[in-house]
Amino acid sequence: QVQLVESGGGLVQPGGSLRLSCAASGSIFSINAMGWYRQAPGKERELVATITSGGTTNYADSVKGRFTISRDNAKNTVYLQMNSLKPEDTAVYYCNADLTTGGILRIPLNLWGQGTQVTVSS
């Protein structure tokens, strides 16, 4: 079974840093775009950052200059380095991936991780 597993969330003070990781596991043929989204209480899920298999990145205006997305294709893992965190960054962060499963069928899937809580508070 193909799945995404996130890690790295937690509680941090304003101005602090956190690094999120998301690893795809299972029978995978290829992974195209990967990304991070977040959902704060009472709000809709929003895009934070995405990265293509070739390394092209895209960021929400609210995180530009503070967050950096990267990926290790050999490990099927995407990272989100978050610096200069603000209270308004508090949310559940979700990993997303467009991938094709391995084996004979080669099924295209869009997967979500289970989410990891990031809380920025003094």
Side-chain angles (χ1 to χ4, degrees), residues 85-107:
L85 282 160
K86 305 175 181 180
E88 50 263 44
D89 294 317
T90 295
V92 177
Y93 283 70
Y94 296 91
C95 175
N96 178 266
D98 281 322
L99 56 85
T100 301
T101 63
I104 298 175
L105 296 180
R106 302 280 173 91
I107 301 171

Side-chain angles (χ1 to χ4, degrees), residues 24-103:
S25 63
S27 179
I28 298 170
F29 174 71
S30 65
I31 302 178
N32 301 316
M34 301 185 81
W36 290 95
Y37 293 73
R38 67 186 181 187
Q39 187 167 18
K43 295 187 176 181
E44 294 186 353
R45 191 172 298 188
E46 64 177 4
L47 180 146
V48 176
T50 61
I51 184 167
T52 68
S53 57
T56 301
T57 58
N58 179 53
Y59 295 93
D61 288 342
S62 59
V63 306
K64 282 181 181 177
R66 300 188 298 122
F67 292 9
T68 302
I69 189 170
S70 61
R71 63 190 282 175
D72 184 334
N73 291 329
K75 296 181 179 180
N76 289 337
T77 300
V78 63
Y79 306 96
L80 186 68
Q81 177 65 45
M82 305 185 292
N83 299 328
S84 303
L85 282 160
K86 305 175 181 180
E88 50 263 44
D89 294 317
T90 295
V92 177
Y93 283 70
Y94 296 91
C95 175
N96 178 266
D98 281 322
L99 56 85
T100 301
T101 63

Side-chain angles (χ1 to χ4, degrees), residues 8-14 16-18 85 90 116-122:
L11 172 64
V12 64
Q13 293 186 343
S17 298
L18 280 176
L85 282 160
T90 295
T116 186
Q117 177 70 47
V118 171
T119 302
V120 185
S121 174
S122 55

